[in-house]
C-alpha cells in the first residue's frame, strides 16, 4: 500500500452506523415492500396482457429484481445487526459471504424491454441504483484495499473520498 493509502481516511465505517445508513436501510426496505406490493397487485395484472416476448422478459426480470432486492435486504439486515451489537464483525463476515451484490444486471436492449410496464422498469432502475450504493459501501467497509485501489496516483485523496460518499449516499 502506498504512503498516501495509509493516510486515506475511510468514512464508510462511520457512515454505516450513521443516520445516512438508517436512511439507506429505510430506502432499501421500503423498495422491497413497494416491489412486493407492485408484483402482487398492479404488476400481476399488467403482466397478463403483455405481448409474448415482453411476458417472458417480465418473468425473468421479476425474478432478477426480487433476487437483487433480497440480496440487498440481507446485506442491510446484517449491517444493522453489527451496528446494533447483535452480531460480531466476524459473524457478519461469515454470513455476508453468502450475499451477492455484484450481479443481476439488466439488458435494456432485450426484445420486449420497451413493452414492459413503466412502473416495473422504474422499480428495476431504482433497485440497480440502490444495489450500486450498497455494493460501494460494502467495498468501503469490508474491502477497503479494493475500494481505494482504483484511485489514480494523481487524484486528490479527499476528492476521491467525497466522490465515494456521494456515490454511496446518492448525493448529486
Amino acid at each position: 500500500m502506498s504512503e498516501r493509502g495509509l493516510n486515506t481516511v475511510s468514512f464508510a465505517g462511520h457512515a454505516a452506523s450513521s443516520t445516512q445508513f438508517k436512511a439507506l436501510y429505510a430506502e432499501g426496505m421500503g423498495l422491497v415492500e413497494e416491489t412486493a406490493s407492485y408484483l402482487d397487485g398492479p404488476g400481476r395484472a399488467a403482466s397478463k396482457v403483455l405481448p409474448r416476448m415482453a411476458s417472458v422478459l417480465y418473468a425473468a426480470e421479476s425474478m432478477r429484481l426480487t433476487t437483487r432486492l433480497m440480496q440487498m435486504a440481507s446485506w442491510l439486515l446484517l449491517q444493522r445487526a453489527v451496528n446494533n451489537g447483535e452480531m460480531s464483525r466476524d459473524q457478519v463476515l461469515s454470513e455476508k459471504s453468502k450475499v451477492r451484490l455484484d450481479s443481476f444486471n439488466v439488458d435494456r436492449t432485450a426484445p420486449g424491454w420497451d413493452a414492459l410496464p413503466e412502473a416495473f422498469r422504474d422499480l428495476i432502475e431504482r433497485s440497480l441504483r440502490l444495489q450500486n450504493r450498497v455494493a460501494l459501501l460494502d467495498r468501503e467497509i469490508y474491502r477497503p484495499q479494493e475500494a481505494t485501489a482504483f484511485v489514480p496516483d494523481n487524484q486528490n485523496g479527499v476528492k476521491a473520498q467525497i466522490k465515494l460518499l456521494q456515490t454511496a449516499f446518492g448525493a448529486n
Side-chain angles (χ1 to χ4, degrees):
M1 185 176 274
S2 72
E3 185 176 310
R4 189 189 83 246
L6 293 173
N7 293 329
T8 301
V9 177
S10 174
F11 296 107
H14 299 292
S17 60
S18 68
T19 55
Q20 289 92 348
F21 174 77
K22 290 176 184 167
L24 181 67
Y25 180 86
E27 180 183 350
M29 294 306 176
L31 188 56
V32 168
E33 289 179 26
E34 182 182 348
T35 300
S37 177
Y38 174 82
L39 292 175
D40 284 343
R44 186 179 310 264
S47 69
K48 293 180 184 208
V49 297
L50 290 173
R52 179 159 169 68
M53 286 301 285
S55 180
V56 170
L57 184 60
Y58 182 92
E61 289 301 330
S62 63
M63 290 295 288
R64 286 187 193 104
L65 174 61
T66 55
T67 302
R68 181 182 315 113
L69 289 171
M70 290 301 103
Q71 294 295 310
M72 284 187 294
S74 296
W75 188 92
L76 290 166
L77 288 167
L78 286 170
Q79 189 58 44
R80 186 181 75 170
V82 77
N83 290 351
N84 293 339
E86 298 165 358
M87 294 177 77
S88 72
R89 183 175 168 92
D90 289 339
Q91 289 172 313
V92 168
L93 285 171
S94 174
E95 290 300 314
K96 198 182 84 52
S97 66
K98 301 170 191 168
V99 177
R100 301 282 314 205
L101 297 172
D102 58 354
S103 57
F104 314 114
N105 291 323
V106 174
D107 180 7
R108 292 169 189 86
T109 63
W113 175 262
D114 292 332
L116 294 175
E118 185 176 340
F120 181 66
R121 287 182 293 166
D122 179 62
L123 288 169
I124 291 171
E125 295 300 331
R126 289 170 46 209
S127 73
L128 289 169
R129 286 191 302 272
L130 186 63
Q131 176 188 30
N132 288 335
R133 289 169 47 207
V134 168
L136 180 64
L137 189 56
D138 177 70
R139 284 190 302 273
E140 272 290 297
I141 294 169
Y142 297 103
R143 298 173 287 184
Q145 66 282 3
E146 288 179 29
T148 57
F150 70 88
V151 178
D153 286 336
N154 63 351
Q155 185 173 357
N156 180 319
V158 173
K159 284 183 182 177
Q161 288 293 319
I162 291 171
K163 179 70 171 162
L164 287 171
L165 287 170
Q166 287 173 332
T167 304
F169 297 109
N172 293 327

